[in-house]
Amino acid sequence: MRIRMKIAMSGLRNGQPWPPVGQVTDLPTGEAQHLCASGIAEEVNDDPDAEETATPPEAETAKAPDAETTTPPAETKRGRGRPRKTPATEE
């Protein structure tokens, strides 16, 4: 099964370094399906009639943190606290 690597992998595969990102390679079907299912690679369509279209990666967007307010929140009054221990009585 022919796949195209989407993510760079470190280490070796059968004594050889993994193919770089974007390179097409031929792997056993089970191994190729595992890499495709995990998002590391994508299957290459060998159909000569099929047009290959590049899709741009999704833009990463992050929500801006909430702005700080100039006035602190109103403090709530706390309770009386823990009752005092009563002195031990000697007999």
Side-chain angles (χ1 to χ4, degrees):
M1 182 174 184
R2 294 178 54 83
I3 60 168
R4 178 177 296 114
M5 298 299 292
K6 293 169 56 177
I7 296 176
M9 294 189 50
S10 63
L12 301 175
R13 182 191 168 278
N14 293 338
Q16 299 294 320
W18 282 91
V21 175
Q23 183 174 348
V24 176
T25 187
D26 195 15
L27 293 177
T29 303
E31 188 175 352
Q33 287 176 343
H34 177 72
L35 293 174
C36 291
S38 62
I40 294 173
E42 61 188 1
E43 185 177 357
V44 174
N45 188 359
D46 288 332
D47 186 9
D49 296 334
E51 286 187 29
E52 195 168 317
T53 58
T55 56
E58 293 182 20
E60 294 183 18
T61 58
K63 181 181 179 278
D66 294 334
E68 293 184 19
T69 58
T70 55
T71 57
E75 292 186 27
T76 57
K77 186 173 179 181
R78 297 180 67 167
R80 292 181 13 191
R82 181 184 302 183
R84 292 189 173 189
K85 291 183 180 179
T86 58
T89 58
E90 293 184 29
E91 292 183 27

